[in-house]
Amino acid sequence: MDPKSPIVCATDLSQGGARAVDLAVETARALGAPLRLVHACDVGPARTSLPPVTTGEKALQQRLAERVARQQAKLDAEAARAAERGVVATAALVDGRPW
């Protein structure tokens, strides 16, 4: 394995996902590799950037943007937790179905 290649870990941001992140952190630390955390969201950043037209669309878009922000914050917290354990970690919230 190329030491510059990151360990990629998908997480659903649940307790089980946190355990997967823990395992990925330990693997990355053992290999001296960076960690890339990824969370797929079917209502991700791309869907909240469309210009709203109606009042209902504006309200829905605001709720979706808040949901995306909460998920991004959770993902960033996981990356910070990995960094506290000595691993260089980045996080990406991507559009798409988790499964």
Side-chain angles (χ1 to χ4, degrees):
M1 173 178 192
D2 180 356
K4 294 180 183 177
S5 296
I7 302 298
V8 178
C9 177
T11 177
D12 62 0
L13 304 173
S14 69
Q15 287 183 347
R19 287 191 294 276
V21 170
D22 289 339
L23 290 171
V25 167
E26 292 305 315
T27 302
R29 189 166 56 180
L31 296 173
L35 178 62
R36 175 102 169 135
L37 299 175
V38 180
H39 176 70
C41 178
D42 56 356
V43 183
R47 293 192 187 14
T48 59
S49 63
L50 301 173
V53 177
T54 67
T55 303
E57 287 175 343
K58 288 177 186 178
L60 177 60
Q61 190 171 27
Q62 178 63 33
R63 289 180 67 189
L64 293 176
E66 290 168 0
R67 178 179 170 194
V68 168
R70 282 191 307 272
Q71 290 178 334
Q72 185 66 59
K74 287 180 184 179
L75 193 58
D76 290 342
E78 287 291 278
R81 196 166 64 86
E84 290 171 358
R85 295 168 59 191
V87 173
V88 175
T90 58
L93 182 68
V94 297
D95 270 314
R97 291 188 174 172
W99 46 271

